[in-house]
Amino acid sequence: MSTNMDRSGRQIETFPDLDAVSREAAQRFVTHAQAAMRDGGRFTVALAGGSTPERLYRLLATPQYRDRVQWERVHFFFGDERCVPPDDTQSNYRMAKNALLDAVPEAQVSRIEGERAPQDAAVAYEAAVRAAFGAEGVPRFDLILLGMGPDGHTASLFPHTDALNETTRLVVANRVAKLDTWRLTLTYPVLNAAAHVLFLVGGADKAAAVHAVLDGPPNRDEYPSQGVLPTDGVVTFLLDSAAAGQLR
Ligand code: 6PG
């Protein structure tokens, strides 16, 4: 494992493979959860979608990690969701439920209702987040898990889409023309209010985007992952060696 910090204060750690990345992420999840609970509080975490984090979620469900967290004090949210029903194979909720959330009390999970009209789902989820965090200000998640697409998108903040410019709403429905679909996503204000953001990125197909995001000049519209710079928090990239292959 190698560690460094870039000029934007982003911590970058590389690992031999995705299994090692997932084990590191699982350990960090437990550490952050235990820290949040030590103060007698709850642990609020927004889950990433896609395929990369599934190994992490399955690891967290194993006794080695599961037995170290008081799950009744963990509140699960989602960073984004596809506009599909919860039992759809494309659903991020379905993936996380099968991998981990089936073992968690339903009351601890705030699902984005992908089956609803996108705008209604966004309004409803913003209300749910505000109900959990308080009506005023921007919610500060203890931990937000994120992935990165080969185009540098994260959550459902895709290049050149309207959601990138949202400065007040916490959740928006984002039209992604290149996928010919709507997505539901947390916005930069929420991502950048987090105490800890953890990117999990694996695979050679992400190497060019990782290089552009971490080594390249600021260009958030082209590489939306660049826009994740918590104002009072830490962002860490956990990369496998393939995804880190083009890093300077
Ligand atoms: C989604 C995710 C998205 C994902 C990246 C990487 O809903 O798809 O939130 O941002 O993290 O697209 O996806 P993979 O992990 O499948 O490569």
Side-chain angles (χ1 to χ4, degrees), residues 2-247:
S2 70
T3 303
N4 64 39
M5 184 178 286
D6 74 355
R7 60 183 179 280
S8 304
R10 297 173 295 193
Q11 295 179 1
I12 304 161
E13 298 200 25
T14 57
F15 298 84
D17 53 32
L18 187 56
D19 280 340
V21 165
S22 304
R23 283 194 301 275
E24 174 70 15
Q27 179 52 53
R28 285 168 178 254
F29 182 104
V30 170
T31 301
H32 290 317
Q34 291 176 339
M37 293 172 188
R38 215 180 348 265
D39 307 340
R42 64 183 181 175
F43 178 55
T44 54
V45 55
L47 299 181
S51 56
T52 301
E54 185 169 359
R55 290 177 202 220
L56 161 61
Y57 302 157
R58 292 195 180 282
L59 269 178
L60 288 172
T62 62
Q64 177 184 357
Y65 298 96
R66 182 189 64 207
D67 296 349
R68 296 163 57 197
V69 176
Q70 297 164 278
W71 296 100
E72 69 282 1
R73 293 167 63 184
V74 182
H75 286 239
F76 288 96
F77 299 81
F78 287 83
D80 74 325
E81 186 56 278
R82 289 82 182 276
C83 290
V84 295
D87 58 353
D88 188 293
T89 55
Q90 284 299 307
S91 165
N92 289 334
Y93 168 78
R94 177 179 180 273
M95 179 274 285
K97 184 174 186 297
N98 291 342
L100 173 63
L101 299 182
D102 268 340
V104 172
E106 234 177 84
Q108 309 301 122
V109 180
S110 291
R111 175 178 74 87
I112 301 176
E113 296 167 296
E115 67 277 21
R116 294 181 63 172
Q119 306 299 346
D120 295 345
V123 169
Y125 202 59
E126 174 144 345
V129 170
R130 287 210 176 281
F133 281 88
E136 299 309 316
V138 181
R140 181 174 170 79
F141 281 85
D142 294 311
L143 176 63
I144 295 181
L145 298 171
L146 291 174
M148 186 191 298
D151 59 357
H153 83 262
T154 190
S156 283
L157 299 170
F158 283 82
H160 311 296
T161 58
D162 292 347
L164 301 183
N165 305 311
E166 180 58 48
T167 57
T168 53
R169 286 179 292 172
L170 310 180
V171 185
V172 296
N174 193 28
R175 175 74 186 155
V176 186
K178 75 174 181 182
L179 300 179
D180 188 24
T181 188
W182 287 87
R183 289 280 191 91
L184 296 155
T185 188
L186 296 183
T187 57
Y188 281 130
V190 184
L191 302 185
N192 288 330
H196 293 89
V197 177
L198 198 55
F199 277 88
L200 279 68
V201 190
D205 63 323
K206 311 290 178 71
V210 166
H211 170 56
V213 167
L214 295 178
D215 291 333
N219 186 357
R220 186 188 80 175
D221 211 44
E222 187 68 35
Y223 297 106
S225 295
Q226 282 187 330
V228 181
L229 289 168
T231 47
D232 180 20
V234 177
V235 55
T236 303
F237 288 77
L238 301 182
L239 311 172
D240 71 6
S241 51
Q246 295 182 27
L247 274 185

